[in-house]
Amino acid sequence: MKREHIAERLLVACSARLDTDAGPQGTAFFVAPGIAVTAAHVIGGVNGLGVHLSESARNWRGHVVDVRPSRAREIAATSPYPAPDLALIQIDEGPRHPCALLAKHLPSEDARMMTRGYTRTLDQQAVTAETETFSLTGTLETTDPDCKLLKLGLGEATRGMSGAAVLDLGTGEVIGMLRTSRKLGSNLGGWVVPAGLIRLLWPEEVGLAHDRFHEQYSLWRETASQLRAWQSGSTRAGPSTEANVVSVINGDNNGFVTIEYGRGSSRRHGSGTR
Amino acid sequence: MMLPSGDLIWVHVQAEQAVMSDGDSGPTDVGLGQRIAPIAETLGLPGFTQTVRGVVTSVRQALDDHRPDSLTVEFGIQIVVKAGAVLSVLAEAGGNVHVTVTASWDRRDAVVPPAGEEELDPK
């Protein structure tokens, strides 16, 4: 199994399509039990708005409990949403789910990334999941002193990818949330809100709850360790590594995600929303 | 966004064609929906009440001397994003603003012929 396949399955495990009463709006991902994040512009900056999340056969209902910036007084259709462009969603109803492993450090300069969002690329009527890989190309300071965006290149950020988790292929950690295309229809990539800022803005709802989750369920971290070892070459790439991480399967009977290691062994990995 | 009445409605803002043309734009947020005016509920949709009141008052004043018994005014309201603000203005079609006015009189004050003066059938 290629590392891209493992990365994609990790993204499937933590991501969801986001709909409102007005229809599909973009993507969100789980960062703590019962807590998801998306881009503020995806939910129109409306605090309290009801949302519907879905991934394969799993569905969640929730509502927006915080938006940053909290009061975007400047509205300009031609400009990107003010930084950081984040919204916190509390899940009110739905099955258990795994949570993305958020990176605590900035990625290395030559890091390769993967994201997975819900787009209309296939056709304008259907919304389907789409992955894309990027390279980290730099950073971009914003008017918010706490928010320095990460710049991606060498990949296309497509409409619908706003709110999608961006995963470092070398570490298996989510480095942030995709929010903006640097130029639509091009290979110029996009802007990412760093994971560290998501933790900083909501230290209890995200930071503590996220850490507790990954202390309790170690499988994502173990998978990330495999990817790091693979990246550094300290383990043999190829069949031996591939056998360690066979598959990530979404949604068994209890709503858990099961990550199977090796041949014939498996472990459970998940968390409740309530 | 929130109307002055307190009702919450969704508003899809159609951006200029040049801006929406993929490949011609600079940095663009990549949500699936069109840009939704953020926190417009706090703005109370300025201009909406004034626009409606202005049109209705103007039409009533124009017909004040004729005192219609019923009056119907139809016009369009366009919600636009301009200079960083959400505004409501009279909708234009081809550069013209259309206001349709229907006035009616039930003629209750017209002279009614007294009883017994009905026209008789000719013999």
Side-chain angles (χ1 to χ4, degrees):
Chain A
M1 178 179 288
K2 291 182 178 179
R3 65 173 181 168
E4 285 79 5
H5 292 163
I6 298 168
E8 180 178 354
R9 294 186 181 194
L10 289 174
L11 288 169
V12 169
C14 70
S15 303
R17 164 179 157 175
L18 187 149
D19 286 58
T20 66
D21 289 344
Q25 302 295 326
T27 308
F29 66 99
F30 293 104
V31 290
I35 296 290
V37 294
T38 189
H41 72 264
V42 167
I43 49 90
V46 180
N47 202 354
L49 184 73
V51 298
H52 176 247
L53 304 184
S54 59
E55 175 58 54
S56 302
R58 295 180 297 163
N59 294 277
W60 299 267
R61 290 206 170 276
H63 65 283
V64 178
V65 291
D66 200 2
V67 179
R68 302 297 178 96
S70 57
R71 293 289 173 93
R73 293 194 178 281
E74 294 297 320
I75 304 164
T78 57
S79 298
Y81 199 92
D85 189 10
L86 282 170
L88 192 70
I89 297 166
Q90 181 176 310
I91 303 301
D92 302 316
E93 183 183 346
R96 295 175 174 182
H97 58 80
C99 306
L101 178 61
L102 298 177
K104 292 185 177 178
H105 306 287
L106 292 177
S108 59
E109 288 180 3
D110 58 346
R112 288 288 293 168
M113 309 293 171
M114 176 182 278
T115 195
R116 177 179 179 274
Y118 280 91
T119 71
R120 294 190 193 275
T121 301
L122 184 65
D123 67 57
Q124 286 302 302
Q125 305 305 316
V127 176
T128 59
E130 177 179 2
T131 64
E132 179 68 313
T133 57
F134 301 92
S135 288
L136 183 68
T137 59
T139 60
L140 176 64
E141 289 187 357
T142 70
T143 52
D144 180 344
D146 292 326
C147 181
K148 182 187 282 186
L149 300 172
L150 304 175
K151 293 199 303 181
L152 303 181
L154 299 177
E156 182 181 6
T158 308
R159 287 193 185 279
M161 288 183 174
S162 276
V166 179
L167 187 135
D168 188 330
L169 288 169
T171 66
E173 297 175 337
V174 168
I175 61 132
M177 182 206 74
L178 187 66
R179 52 155 290 177
T180 302
S181 166
R182 292 167 66 183
K183 185 176 174 66
L184 285 169
S186 79
N187 225 27
L188 288 178
W191 296 346
V192 173
V193 182
L197 182 60
I198 299 173
R199 297 171 63 99
L200 179 71
L201 289 176
W202 299 293
E204 291 189 11
E205 300 94 328
V206 178
L208 287 176
H210 164 274
D211 292 348
R212 276 199 297 267
F213 173 86
H214 287 288
E215 285 169 7
Q216 187 175 0
Y217 302 98
S218 61
L219 290 176
W220 189 307
R221 282 191 284 111
E222 291 175 14
T223 306
S225 297
Q226 294 286 337
L227 286 173
R228 276 196 296 273
W230 192 352
Q231 173 85 350
S232 65
S234 60
T235 30
R236 285 182 299 161
S240 60
T241 305
E242 292 170 19
N244 282 336
V245 184
V246 176
S247 62
V248 178
I249 305 167
N250 282 303
D252 66 7
N253 291 337
N254 294 316
F256 278 73
V257 163
T258 304
I259 300 179
E260 296 179 356
Y261 283 85
R263 292 186 174 86
S265 64
S266 67
R267 297 188 201 179
R268 285 194 154 176
H269 179 89
S271 171
T273 59
R274 284 165 284 190
Chain B
M1 65 175 55
M2 189 172 286
L3 293 173
S5 64
D7 296 322
L8 193 62
I9 62 169
W10 279 93
V11 175
H12 290 265
V13 179
Q14 181 69 50
E16 296 289 340
Q17 187 62 39
V19 174
M20 294 300 295
S21 177
D22 289 6
D24 293 337
S25 59
T28 306
D29 296 331
V30 282
L32 269 183
Q34 301 290 346
R35 171 62 66 86
I36 306 163
I39 67 156
E41 75 274 22
T42 63
L43 303 174
L45 196 55
F48 185 87
T49 303
Q50 294 88 334
T51 303
V52 173
R53 184 179 294 148
V55 173
V56 173
T57 302
S58 299
V59 172
R60 284 188 63 181
Q61 287 176 347
L63 293 171
D64 207 27
D65 292 341
H66 302 284
R67 300 170 61 190
D69 292 306
S70 69
L71 183 63
T72 304
V73 183
E74 295 179 13
F75 56 94
I77 293 286
Q78 191 170 9
I79 298 168
V80 298
V81 176
K82 202 167 187 177
V86 177
L87 303 170
S88 54
V89 297
L90 277 179
E92 292 183 28
N96 298 314
V97 175
H98 292 276
V99 179
T100 303
V101 178
T102 305
S104 63
W105 292 261
D106 60 15
R107 304 304 302 270
R108 278 178 297 190
D109 56 347
V111 176
V112 179
E117 290 186 8
E118 293 90 348
E119 187 177 353
L120 299 175
D121 292 334
K123 293 182 179 178

